[in-house]
Amino acid sequence: MSNRIEELTVFLQESPKDPFLKYALTMEYRKMGDVVKTRAGFEELVRDHADYVGTYYHYAKFLEEQQEKEEALLIYQKGMEIAQQKRNRHAYGELLGAYNLALGVSEDDDWDD
């Protein structure tokens, strides 16, 4: 287990409801390639901290890597809804761009040359 994971685990024991710590731990598991713990971390974040908008982009990308495109699209959509509710235009734009890319839609598709 990495030192970073150990540190985050200790911090989570002190602040068990902190979504950022849960997110950071999940991202460490992702870096390590631990698919099971990564999925569990993202699922917990979406379930228990649905308004933590930073989760959705990385969770959907993870799902795409797992060849779960339909589920990824749903997570992008949910993230866009949360970003709109939070008035987070930056997050919304990133999620929309990733969603369109996952669909195979290019930003240039709207232009007639």
Side-chain angles (χ1 to χ4, degrees):
M1 188 178 297
S2 82
N3 193 33
R4 181 79 175 132
I5 289 175
E6 290 171 9
E7 289 175 353
L8 289 167
T9 302
V10 169
F11 292 148
L12 262 173
Q13 289 171 350
E14 297 169 3
S15 302
K17 295 185 181 192
D18 187 327
F20 175 75
L21 292 174
K22 291 178 182 183
Y23 171 80
L25 183 60
T26 299
M27 295 305 288
E28 287 298 316
Y29 287 135
R30 185 172 185 211
K31 279 192 239 177
M32 290 177 50
D34 189 328
V35 174
V36 172
K37 288 184 179 178
T38 300
R39 181 182 302 275
F42 281 133
E43 289 173 353
E44 180 183 350
L45 281 160
V46 169
R47 182 186 66 241
D48 298 343
H49 305 282
D51 63 341
Y52 192 73
V53 74
T55 299
Y56 295 90
Y57 178 90
H58 293 284
Y59 185 19
K61 285 294 183 188
F62 167 78
L63 290 169
E64 284 187 73
E65 291 167 6
Q66 303 306 308
Q67 308 303 313
E68 298 177 40
K69 182 178 175 180
E70 294 304 315
E71 184 66 23
L73 292 172
L74 292 173
I75 294 297
Y76 284 131
Q77 290 172 333
K78 179 67 176 169
M80 286 186 283
E81 291 172 18
I82 299 298
Q84 280 185 317
Q85 292 169 9
K86 299 288 225 174
R87 299 189 165 285
N88 187 332
R89 291 176 191 243
H90 178 75
Y92 181 86
E94 285 185 342
L95 288 159
L96 178 60
Y99 176 81
N100 286 336
L101 189 62
L103 284 175
V105 176
S106 167
E107 291 180 19
D108 297 333
D109 287 350
D110 291 339
W111 292 94
D112 293 326
D113 289 330

